[in-house]
Amino acid sequence: MNIGLFIPCYVDQFYPHVAIATLQLLEKSGLKVSYPLQQTCCGQPMANSGFEHLTNPCSTNFIENFSTFDYIVCPSGSCTLHIKDHLHDEKHPVEAASIRKKVYELTEFLTDVIQLKKIKARFPHKVGLHQSCHGQRGLKLSQMSELVAPAFSKPESLLQMVNGLELVTLDRKDECCGFGGTFCVNEEAVSVKMGKDRVADHIRQGVDYITGGDMSCLMHLDGILRRQKSSVKTIHIAEILNAG
Amino acid sequence: MGSREKILAAVKTNQPPLSPLPSNWQGSKHTTNLKEQFIQTVTNIGGLVIEVNSVEEIIPAVKDKFPETTRIVNLLESPKPTGASLGDPHEFENVTIAIMQGQLGVAENGAVWLTDKQMGDRVLPYICENLVLVMKSTEIVPTLHEAYERIGSSDYGLGTFLAGPSKTADIEQSLVLGAHGPKSLMVYLLP
Amino acid sequence: MNDTLKNHATLAEKFNRDIPRVDWHDKTLWFVREKRDKAANQIPDWEKLRETASQIKNNVLSNLHDYLVEFENNAQQNGITVHWASTPKEHNEIVHRIIQQHGVEHIVKSKSMLTEECGLNEYLEHQGIEVVDTDLGERIVQLAGEPPSHIVLPCIHWKKEEIGELFHQHLGTPKGNADPQFLTSAARAHLREHFLHSKVAITGVNFAVAETGEFVVCTNEGNADLGVQLADVHIACMGIEKIIPQRKHLGIFLRLLARSATGQPITTYSSHFQKPRAGQEMHIVLVDNGRSERLGSEDFRNALKCIRCGACFNTCPVYRRSGGHSYHTAVAGPIGSILAPALDMEKNADLPFASTLCGSCTNVCPVKIDIHDQLYKWRQVLVKNGHVTRGKKFSMMSMRFLLSHSSLYNFSGTLGRWVMRNLPSLVNNKFNPWYKQREMPQAPAQSFRSWYLKNKQHGK
Ligand code: SF4
C-alpha cells in the first residue's frame, strides 16, 4: 500500500510536529508513506471565500503530486473535505475523480481503511475532543447531534484506545468553534466569541488538553487560550495517538 | 399580460422536470396505549384530561371546577347546524366557559380536531376564557397520519387541530398560558 | 460590497459589545434547539419524515404550475377570492384596495413573513391605515419601531425588563413590572380591544392545499383565529411556494413544523380555512416576488422548500451570537442568507459570508434544504459578479499567485516564519484582526518540508 502524505500548507509552515506525528503514526502501522515535495495548498481557503474558479492551478498541482498513490492521507478534515468535494480539473478529469475517492482524513483512514484495533500510545491526561465541522458534518467522522440516528465517533474510538487518557463529555458536543477560514478575520467579533465559548465548555469539564483533527480550529482555540493565559493546551489528535 | 398569467408562465418555464411524490408513507405504527399517551401529552402542553362515564357528569363537574363562572355556552345541549352563527360573534366576548364536542384526538401531540359542526360559532373556541371539549376515548388515533385518514376528503368549512390552551413564550421564552385565546383547556373523555 | 451599506460583520461587532447579552441570547436560542432535539428524538422515524417532506416539496417545485391552478380553482369553488401579485408593490396595492373597499382604517394582522418581505405595514401606514400586529412578540417589536429579529420568535432579542419599560410607556403598565405573566395579560387586554374593533384581519399562510383549495395557519396564541373570526374580511397572504399537493400531506408537515420550531408536538392552533363563514369575505393573495425566477436555478431553487420553522436560526452558532438584526433583511439567519442575495445581490452580498459553513442548519432543516452548500455557491456567484471588496479580491489574487508557485510559496513561508519569530510586532498589531483577541501561532524554526528533506530524504 502506497500512501501519499498530504500536509496542509499551514501545518507544514506552523505545525511541523503534527505532520511528523502523522508520518510516524502511519509508519508505525507498517505503511509505506511518502511526502510529495511539490505540494502546496489545496485551494480551500480561496474556494470557501468564493474564489473556487481561481483554484485551478492548485488542483492541477495537487493532481500532479498525488495521482500515483493508492491512498492519500491528511491530518485535516477540512482540507480532505475540500479535495473530496471540489477537486476538479478539466485536463485530468479521471485522475481528479480517482483522487476524490482515495483521499482520507487521518482518523477515518485509521478506523476504516487499516482498521486499527490497538494503539500503543500513552497520554495520561484529561482531554476534550473538538469535533471540527468539516470533518464531522462534512466527512461524517462522528454522528451529528442534529440527527435522530445511532451514535458513533471515529476519532473518539481511537482516543479510547490510548492508555491513561480520560475523555470528557462536553455540554455542546459538536458546536462550531468559529474558525471558518477567512470568517475568522472577516467576522472577527463573532469568530472570537464562538471560540471563547468553545474553550469555556472544555474548561468547565476540567480538561488539560483540547484535541481535534483540524489544526486550523485548534490554532484559533489556542490563540484564545494563550491570550487568556490559560494552562489548557491544544494538541492535534495525531500527536496523542503517537504519544509515549 | 396580467400578473396571474405572467407568474404562471414563468413558473411553467422554470420548474424542473417532474419529481415524483413519495410513496404513501404513514410512519411506524404505535403500540402504546393511545389513551394514556393522549392524557400525558395533553397534560404536557398545559391542558387537563378528565375521564368520566357519562355526559351527565360533565356539567356538574365543570361548575364545580369554576364556581365563579358567569356565562357558559354549552353546545352539547343545543347543537347548531353546520357553519351557522349563533349571532354576531362579538356577542361571545364575555363567555367564561364554552363546552363543545371534539371529533377526534391525536395521541402523539394532544391535539383535538374540531370543525364548524362542533364549534357553533367559529369564534367560540378562541374567544372563550376556558374551553371544555368532550370526546370519546375510542376516537383517539396515534398520529396525524391516521387523523387525516379519518378526516378524508370531508367538507368542513373550518377545521382546526386544537392542542392545549392558548399560549405564548414570546417574553424571554417563559411559557404563559392564555395569550389571546382560552386560558385553560379541559378534555372530558367518555368511554 | 459597498462599505456604506449595512454589513453583517459590522452589525455583529456592535452586538458583541455587550457580552452578557450575547451569552443570554445564545443560551436562550440554544435552549430552543435542545427542545427541538428532544421533540425530534421522540419520533424514531424522524429522518424518514424529513426525507418524505423533502420529496413532497421537490414534487411541488416540479409541478408548481399545475398545483397553483388546481389550488386557485378549488379555492374559488370554496368561495375564496384569489389574487395574484408579481411584486411586493402589487401585493400591497391589492391588500390596500380590499381594505379601502370596506372603508376601514384599523386592521389587525397576525404573523406573516411574506408581509414583512413586502413591507406591507409601512405601505399601509403611509396610506393612513393603522396596522396592529397581534402576535405578542410582533406587537412588542412593532411598539418599539423595530422589525422582528427571528421568524418564529420575533422579540427573542428583548429582555423582559425592557419589555416592561416598553409596556409602561405604551400601555401604561406600572413601571418596573417585568413579570412575563403580567405583561402577557396586559397585552391580552390591549389587543383584545383591537380584535373586537377590526373589520379586516390579515394572516399569513403556512400551507395551502392544491387538492382542496384550503389553507392552514398555525399559531400558539390564537391571534390569527381571533382576528379573523371577529372580522368581516379575512385576507391571507402567501408566497406561491407554500402549496402542498394533498390534504394528507399536512400530516407530514405538521408533525415536523412545531417540533422543529419550538420543540412542541404541534402548535396550539392549526386552523384549516376551507370556506369563509356565512357573510364573511375571504381573500388569498398569491405572491411571486422573484420566486418563479429562482425556480429556474438548479443551485438555488431548493430554498423555496422552506416552511419557515426557524430551526436553522436556533442552531446557527453565528446567528445566536450576532442577533437577527445583524442580517438586515426580513428573514434573517441561514435561510435568510441564501434568500436575500437573490432579491438584491449588491445589498446582501455580505450575508453568505456570515457563516462558518459548519452545516448544522442543513442537518436540522425539516425539508432538507442544503443551506450551507447554497451559502458556498452564493459566495462563488457573488465573487464572479464583483460583489466583494477590492482589498479582499486583491489579497486572494496574490494568494493564488503564491500557492500555485510552490517554490515561491516555500520561500515566502520561510520568510513569514522568520518575520513572526524575529519581528513579531509586524504581525501582532491592531491592523491584524486575528491578533485583536487571539495570539498568533508560534512560528517554528523549520517547516515540515525542511525536516522531511533532512530526516527522510537524506542523500537523495
Ligand atoms: S430553511 Fe429549513 S430550517 Fe430554516 S426555516 Fe426554512 S424549513 Fe426551517
Side-chain angles (χ1 to χ4, degrees):
Chain A
M1 202 190 279
N2 213 348
I3 315 284
L5 187 60
F6 161 30
I7 298 299
C9 48
Y10 65 94
V11 172
D12 172 48
Q13 292 296 324
F14 292 110
Y15 303 102
H17 51 284
V18 171
I20 296 170
T22 307
L23 176 66
Q24 289 175 345
L25 183 61
L26 292 168
E27 285 180 342
K28 266 189 205 167
S29 314
L31 300 160
K32 187 172 164 282
V33 188
S34 25
Y35 173 73
L37 288 164
Q38 300 306 313
Q39 62 180 293
T40 58
C41 171
C42 58
Q44 194 242 54
M46 282 184 282
N48 281 352
S49 306
F51 293 86
E52 192 186 305
H53 61 292
L54 298 184
T55 59
N56 290 348
C58 299
S59 304
T60 311
N61 187 49
F62 195 89
I63 291 167
E64 279 165 6
N65 273 278
F66 285 103
S67 58
T68 58
F69 293 102
D70 300 321
Y71 289 100
I72 301 153
V73 178
C74 172
S76 156
S78 175
C79 299
T80 306
L81 180 69
H82 176 73
I83 295 296
K84 253 196 193 341
D85 280 1
H86 301 292
L87 183 80
H88 293 287
D89 188 355
E90 278 167 24
K91 277 173 262 152
H92 310 95
V94 182
E95 285 87 344
S98 128
I99 286 181
R100 289 201 300 273
K101 279 202 207 93
K102 60 191 187 189
V103 63
Y104 280 84
E105 184 272 343
L106 175 65
T107 62
E108 65 175 346
F109 180 78
L110 296 177
T111 58
D112 298 3
V113 180
I114 62 169
Q115 306 191 357
L116 211 59
K117 292 282 180 293
K118 252 176 70 189
I119 294 175
K120 263 214 211 106
R122 189 174 151 71
F123 196 73
H125 301 284
K126 226 172 164 182
V127 174
L129 172 65
H130 174 66
Q131 309 262 23
S132 289
C133 303
H134 287 169
Q136 197 226 0
R137 297 196 184 80
L139 297 171
K140 309 208 177 355
L141 299 181
S142 311
Q143 189 52 275
M144 302 161 271
S145 64
E146 299 89 1
L147 302 188
V148 178
F152 70 88
S153 169
K154 294 176 190 181
E156 239 180 76
S157 72
L158 292 170
L159 289 171
Q160 305 288 14
M161 294 183 216
V162 174
N163 209 322
L165 186 147
E166 187 191 340
L167 199 61
V168 303
T169 306
L170 297 168
D171 293 340
R172 299 187 188 178
K173 67 173 183 158
D174 55 7
E175 173 118 312
C176 176
C177 69
F179 172 68
T182 45
F183 182 86
C184 76
V185 284
N186 290 341
E187 287 264 5
E188 188 265 344
V190 179
S191 170
V192 168
K193 180 63 183 135
M194 286 167 72
K196 284 182 177 168
D197 289 353
R198 215 72 299 279
V199 160
D201 193 348
H202 286 269
I203 290 176
R204 270 200 303 281
Q205 321 308 331
V207 303
D208 306 314
Y209 287 90
I210 300 175
T211 191
D214 253 303
M215 265 336 281
S216 47
C217 304
L218 293 179
M219 169 172 77
H220 165 66
L221 297 178
D222 188 57
I224 289 167
L225 284 166
R226 278 169 42 226
R227 179 62 59 90
Q228 293 176 347
K229 306 217 179 327
S230 167
S231 60
V232 174
K233 291 188 256 325
T234 55
I235 184 168
H236 191 274
I237 191 166
E239 296 175 272
I240 293 185
L241 301 179
N242 192 46
Chain B
M1 199 159 48
S3 288
R4 178 185 184 277
E5 285 64 37
K6 215 165 85 191
I7 295 169
L8 284 173
V11 167
K12 193 159 200 163
T13 319
N14 289 337
Q15 67 191 20
L18 192 67
S19 158
L21 273 175
S23 56
N24 196 9
W25 182 63
Q26 295 284 292
S28 40
K29 293 291 169 213
H30 291 233
T31 47
T32 44
N33 181 329
L34 293 180
K35 191 168 81 180
E36 294 288 295
Q37 196 191 358
F38 179 76
I39 294 174
Q40 189 56 54
T41 318
V42 173
T43 314
N44 290 348
I45 57 179
L48 186 65
V49 183
I50 298 162
E51 294 186 70
V52 287
N53 289 315
S54 70
V55 193
E56 285 70 47
E57 292 173 40
I58 295 169
I59 299 296
V62 170
K63 285 192 170 148
D64 217 42
K65 264 223 140 27
F66 299 97
E68 307 287 303
T69 292
T70 45
R71 185 175 169 197
I72 301 184
V73 174
N74 180 359
L75 295 174
L76 299 180
E77 281 168 0
S78 52
K80 289 276 165 182
T82 310
S85 173
L86 297 179
D88 177 1
H90 294 81
E91 280 172 24
F92 296 105
E93 216 274 309
N94 59 358
V95 172
T96 34
I97 297 177
I99 308 174
M100 59 188 74
Q101 239 161 20
Q103 258 189 39
L104 59 93
V106 183
E108 188 188 73
N109 59 25
V112 177
W113 176 249
L114 295 173
T115 67
D116 277 344
K117 220 183 245 158
Q118 289 84 36
M119 292 180 194
D121 188 291
R122 284 184 181 184
V123 84
L124 203 49
Y126 306 103
I127 205 168
C128 64
E129 211 169 303
N130 303 283
L131 180 61
V132 175
L133 299 173
V134 180
M135 214 181 73
K136 286 197 195 132
S137 52
T138 48
E139 303 295 322
I140 299 172
V141 296
T143 73
L144 282 174
H145 303 303
E146 292 80 10
Y148 280 106
E149 231 164 66
R150 289 263 197 115
I151 293 166
S153 59
S154 58
D155 247 350
Y156 40 64
L158 177 73
T160 193
F161 279 110
L162 199 152
S166 150
K167 58 180 80 70
T168 181
D170 273 347
I171 302 180
E172 284 201 11
Q173 282 295 294
S174 350
L175 183 69
V176 179
L177 300 184
H180 295 300
K183 296 174 177 170
S184 80
L185 173 92
M186 292 201 294
V187 183
Y188 281 90
L189 271 188
L190 293 163
Chain C
M1 187 168 22
N2 183 337
D3 281 343
T4 59
L5 293 173
K6 285 185 187 164
N7 168 298
H8 183 273
T10 315
L11 295 168
E13 193 271 322
K14 255 186 218 147
F15 190 73
N16 272 271
R17 285 180 201 163
D18 184 352
I19 288 297
R21 193 181 196 94
V22 177
D23 287 333
W24 165 80
H25 192 260
D26 166 65
K27 282 207 184 79
T28 314
L29 286 151
W30 181 256
F31 171 63
V32 183
R33 153 81 204 267
E34 286 182 318
K35 286 198 291 184
R36 171 259 171 218
D37 289 354
K38 228 172 123 200
N41 275 290
Q42 274 161 7
I43 300 187
D45 298 320
W46 181 256
E47 301 305 331
K48 186 85 200 290
L49 201 58
R50 286 174 69 220
E51 180 57 32
T52 308
S54 167
Q55 286 179 21
I56 294 171
K57 282 283 182 178
N58 287 340
N59 168 266
V60 168
L61 297 187
S62 73
N63 195 34
L64 189 56
H65 175 274
D66 290 4
Y67 286 144
L68 280 167
V69 173
E70 187 186 353
F71 174 74
E72 180 188 38
N73 271 333
N74 289 324
Q76 283 168 343
Q77 269 171 35
N78 291 338
I80 304 173
T81 312
V82 180
H83 309 261
W84 300 74
S86 282
T87 61
K89 181 166 175 276
E90 198 179 350
H91 161 266
N92 295 344
E93 286 165 1
I94 290 169
V95 173
H96 183 219
R97 207 177 319 122
I98 301 169
I99 296 171
Q100 263 183 329
Q101 279 161 7
H102 293 269
V104 169
E105 281 173 355
H106 307 275
I107 63 157
V108 287
K109 180 165 98 29
S110 70
K111 196 146 66 204
S112 149
M113 286 322 296
L114 181 84
T115 61
E116 289 289 335
E117 177 186 323
C118 293
L120 179 69
N121 282 19
E122 269 183 358
Y123 177 88
L124 290 180
E125 267 147 34
H126 220 77
Q127 312 294 327
I129 291 161
E130 187 200 9
V131 185
V132 173
D133 280 321
T134 57
D135 173 86
L136 175 58
E138 289 220 317
R139 185 62 181 151
I140 290 168
V141 290
Q142 189 181 37
L143 288 175
E146 278 183 1
S149 69
H150 186 296
I151 55 175
V152 174
L153 318 163
C155 70
I156 194 72
H157 61 297
W158 276 74
K159 295 205 176 188
K160 56 179 191 248
E161 292 76 19
E162 294 159 348
I163 297 168
E165 182 56 31
L166 186 80
F167 278 18
H168 169 65
Q169 280 167 26
H170 291 269
L171 310 182
T173 56
K175 200 172 172 66
N177 195 331
D179 174 45
Q181 178 93 39
F182 172 79
L183 295 175
T184 302
S185 67
R188 178 183 168 109
H190 155 73
L191 288 164
R192 194 46 89 92
E193 284 310 304
H194 288 284
F195 285 126
L196 289 169
H197 297 108
S198 293
K199 291 208 170 90
V200 175
I202 297 178
T203 70
V205 169
N206 290 91
F207 307 97
V209 184
E211 175 190 54
T212 56
E214 71 196 312
F215 58 93
V216 177
V217 180
C218 304
T219 73
N220 278 320
E221 298 181 5
N223 56 317
D225 300 283
L226 209 45
V228 160
Q229 301 313 347
L230 288 168
D232 302 334
V233 184
H234 176 183
I235 309 173
C237 306
M238 62 179 264
I240 53 172
E241 82 281 18
K242 292 278 150 177
I243 300 267
I244 61 170
Q246 298 159 16
R247 182 183 277 170
K248 70 171 187 215
H249 294 146
L250 287 167
I252 306 273
F253 290 105
L254 291 181
R255 283 183 89 192
L256 286 164
L257 179 63
R259 286 186 174 91
S260 299
T262 58
Q264 293 171 267
I266 188 169
T267 49
T268 306
Y269 305 102
S270 309
S271 297
H272 301 45
F273 294 92
Q274 191 190 21
K275 289 174 182 168
R277 65 167 196 269
Q280 188 193 35
E281 257 181 49
M282 202 180 269
H283 298 265
I284 280 215
V285 191
L286 294 164
V287 181
D288 184 348
N289 192 25
R291 288 165 174 78
S292 61
E293 191 190 324
R294 170 175 296 230
L295 195 57
S297 155
E298 200 182 330
D299 282 346
F300 300 122
R301 73 165 63 96
N302 266 347
L304 294 172
K305 290 157 75 177
C306 177
I307 59 172
R308 301 287 191 271
C309 72
C312 57
F313 289 55
N314 308 336
T315 203
C316 177
V318 176
Y319 174 85
R320 276 188 262 114
R321 292 177 184 81
S322 62
H325 291 152
S326 64
Y327 294 78
H328 56 80
T329 51
V331 180
I335 181 68
S337 297
I338 59 174
L339 289 172
L343 293 172
D344 189 333
M345 227 190 265
E346 162 103 38
K347 238 186 179 161
N348 301 313
D350 56 324
L351 295 181
F353 293 92
S355 160
T356 60
L357 305 181
C358 78
S360 187
C361 47
T362 301
N363 278 348
V364 293
C365 178
V367 289
K368 296 180 101 170
I369 301 173
D370 51 343
I371 307 172
H372 75 294
D373 287 335
Q374 290 199 34
L375 287 166
Y376 177 88
K377 288 173 186 163
W378 268 116
R379 292 180 183 187
Q380 315 305 325
V381 172
L382 290 162
V383 166
K384 280 197 184 145
N385 286 283
H387 294 291
V388 281
T389 52
R390 281 199 99 77
K392 190 161 164 194
K393 191 161 185 178
F394 181 74
S395 73
M396 281 297 160
M397 295 295 280
S398 49
M399 198 154 150
R400 174 198 180 201
F401 179 69
L402 273 163
L403 300 177
S404 60
H405 297 76
S406 68
S407 54
L408 200 59
Y409 152 80
N410 287 326
F411 171 72
S412 75
T414 314
L415 183 69
R417 280 200 320 278
W418 186 87
V419 167
M420 284 176 60
R421 277 149 42 88
N422 298 294
L423 299 166
S425 59
L426 270 188
V427 278
N428 298 349
N429 59 48
K430 67 177 190 308
F431 300 109
N432 175 356
W434 177 281
Y435 186 69
K436 205 174 147 197
Q437 301 185 71
R438 286 166 289 210
E439 296 298 328
M440 293 293 286
Q442 283 154 322
Q446 64 175 350
S447 69
F448 172 67
R449 194 173 176 279
S450 319
W451 177 90
Y452 190 82
L453 281 170
K454 260 181 244 152
N455 295 281
K456 290 283 171 181
Q457 297 242 319
H458 207 67
K460 258 197 191 176

